[in-house]
């Protein structure tokens, strides 16, 4: 059963709120992306964060993951224990979406599902303060379409972080058709406080990164499917031949094959071009539950 924050936690989150700028951030989803966004919000932007997930165990796991990553950084001399403690102290958790009633800026990082995101923004619109900005971490879904589910389309924007969030410097900013200049300005300022470099994209399927990246990954899967080369030779060729840190199939496993498939389907259906047709092998792997590193198996075996 979902439960609200304790009164003590709620006060700790609420008392810092003002109407002058972003004084509190809500993050929805305690998966890999959500906890990363929560960490950079608390650590770099020095802002109180309320992290929401329907699963209490996932919230606990997420906080432990943040602490573990920061402990590794401390061991390497890249971080201090004081910064770790201050960061963790700024992050509160909840399983009740109603606790976002005092948030200034809310970032969702749930599954790449258009219906799920529209329903979520519909509910957030009813709960969040009128001044609050609602941002989506979507990597391919129309911000304009998401915003249309709300009564505040001018305050809805795309904020596409890269994975892993604490390490990757880029955030794609995507204004929707109705996004106001003020919302864009506030979002850019917040991203810069998180120590991120920003780029801006028009609200088109895939935006910049995935419009280029996902067809590249999809084509690599076609090469594997057609028996042109082994997965190791595909990855080695692209890694060393283009001077990138990992090959396309390894990268797909890291992103999640279900996420890759969801994005390719958005590109294919929204752009209507057969060049974006998902590889049948990608579909087969997802159907089998071989989702990549997070499931223990994708193009490579991570169980060993």
């Amino acid at each position: 059963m979902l439960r609200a924050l304790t009164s003590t936690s709620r006060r700790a989150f609420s008392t810092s709120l003002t109407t002058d700028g972003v004084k509190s951030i809500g993050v929805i989803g305690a998966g890999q992306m959500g906890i990363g966004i929560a960490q950079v919000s608390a650590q770099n932007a020095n802002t109180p964060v309320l992290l929401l997930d329907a699963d209490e165990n996932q919230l606990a796991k997420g906080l432990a993951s943040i602490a573990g990553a920061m402990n590794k950084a401390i061991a390497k001399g890249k971080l201090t224990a004081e910064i770790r403690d201050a960061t963790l102290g700024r992050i509160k958790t909840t399983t009740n979406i109603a606790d976002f009633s005092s948030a200034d800026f809310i970032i969702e990082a749930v599954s790449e599902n258009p219906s799920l995101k529209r329903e979520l923004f519909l509910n957030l619109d009813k709960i969040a303060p009128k001044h609050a900005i609602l941002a989506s971490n979507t990597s391919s879904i129309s911000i304009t379409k998401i915003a249309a589910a709300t009564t505040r389309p001018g305050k809805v924007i795309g904020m596409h972080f890269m994975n892993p969030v604490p390490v990757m410097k880029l955030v794609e900013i995507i204004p929707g058709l109705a996004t106001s200049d003020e919302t864009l300005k506030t979002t850019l300022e917040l991203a810069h406080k998180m120590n991120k470099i920003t780029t801006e994209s028009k609200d088109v399927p895939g935006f910049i990164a995935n419009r280029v990246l996902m067809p590249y990954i999809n084509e690599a899967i076609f090469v594997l499917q057609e028996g042109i080369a082994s997965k190791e030779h595909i990855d080695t060729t692209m890694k060393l031949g283009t001077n990138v840190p990992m090959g396309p199939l390894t990268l797909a496993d890291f992103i999640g094959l279900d996420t890759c498939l969801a994005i390719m389907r958005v590109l294919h259906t929204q752009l209507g071009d057969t060049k974006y047709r998902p590889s049948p092998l990608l579909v087969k792997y997802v159907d089998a539950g071989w989702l990549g590193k997070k499931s223990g198996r994708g193009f490579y075996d991570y169980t060993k």
Side-chain angles (χ1 to χ4, degrees):
M1 179 181 294
L2 298 183
R3 63 173 177 80
L5 283 169
T6 63
S7 58
T8 301
S9 296
R10 181 189 288 275
R11 284 197 300 273
F13 183 68
S14 301
T15 52
S16 65
L17 296 179
T18 72
T19 55
D20 181 22
V22 177
K23 301 299 181 183
S24 61
I25 297 173
V27 178
I28 303 177
Q32 192 170 17
M33 295 302 294
I35 63 173
I37 295 168
Q39 180 181 335
V40 298
S41 297
Q43 180 179 339
N44 299 337
N46 298 319
T47 306
V49 175
L50 183 59
L51 178 63
L52 168 75
D53 199 281
D55 186 343
E56 289 188 13
N57 291 330
Q58 185 63 36
L59 287 168
K61 181 180 176 182
L63 289 178
S65 180
I66 294 173
M70 298 187 82
N71 286 336
K72 289 181 180 179
I74 291 171
K76 295 178 180 178
K78 297 180 178 179
L79 200 67
T80 66
E82 290 75 17
I83 292 176
R84 176 200 59 199
D85 295 344
T87 298
L88 294 173
R90 294 186 190 104
I91 303 174
K92 308 300 179 184
T93 63
T94 183
T95 55
N96 191 343
I97 195 172
D99 291 324
F100 284 132
S101 60
S102 56
D104 293 321
F105 200 107
I106 302 172
I107 307 169
E108 68 81 11
V110 301
S111 300
E112 196 72 349
N113 182 312
S115 298
L116 175 62
K117 290 184 187 289
R118 281 175 59 84
E119 181 180 1
L120 177 59
F121 274 72
L122 176 66
N123 292 329
L124 284 175
D125 188 41
K126 298 174 183 177
I127 293 166
K130 293 300 180 183
H131 71 272
I133 291 174
L134 309 180
S136 174
N137 182 52
T138 179
S139 56
S140 62
I141 299 169
S142 169
I143 300 301
T144 299
K145 190 171 184 178
I146 293 173
T150 75
T151 60
R152 63 178 93 190
K155 292 186 175 296
V156 177
I157 195 166
M159 201 175 188
H160 179 210
F161 292 82
M162 305 294 135
N163 187 26
V165 178
V167 176
M168 301 295 280
K169 296 294 293 183
L170 179 68
V171 178
E172 275 186 306
I173 305 298
I174 308 99
L177 183 64
T179 302
S180 70
D181 290 341
E182 181 182 4
T183 295
L184 175 59
K185 180 175 181 292
T186 300
T187 304
L188 288 169
E189 289 176 350
L190 178 59
H192 296 155
K193 285 182 179 178
M194 293 177 179
N195 292 339
K196 299 299 182 184
I197 296 170
T198 58
T199 57
E200 294 178 43
S201 170
K202 290 185 177 179
D203 186 20
V204 296
F207 315 132
I208 302 169
N210 284 324
R211 180 69 176 269
V212 176
L213 176 63
M214 286 303 158
Y216 158 70
I217 288 175
N218 194 53
E219 191 62 28
I221 300 171
F222 269 116
V223 170
L224 178 65
Q225 175 184 308
E226 294 169 13
I228 296 172
S230 68
K231 58 180 179 287
E232 293 85 1
H233 285 186
I234 293 169
D235 275 352
T236 300
T237 297
M238 298 313 299
K239 178 180 178 180
L240 302 183
T242 61
N243 196 28
V244 292
M246 64 182 76
L249 301 178
T250 300
L251 179 57
D253 276 353
F254 185 77
I255 293 169
L257 302 191
D258 53 338
T259 299
C260 294
L261 178 57
I263 296 169
M264 286 307 302
R265 282 175 168 161
V266 168
L267 293 174
H268 189 213
T269 57
Q270 297 297 314
L271 297 173
D273 194 320
T274 56
K275 72 180 181 179
Y276 299 113
R277 177 175 65 94
S279 162
L281 183 60
L282 174 60
V283 176
K284 184 179 293 186
Y285 271 48
V286 173
D287 287 345
W290 297 359
L291 307 182
K293 192 172 183 180
K294 63 185 175 183
S295 69
R297 181 168 183 175
F299 293 107
Y300 295 91
D301 186 353
Y302 301 93
T303 61
K304 298 178 182 178

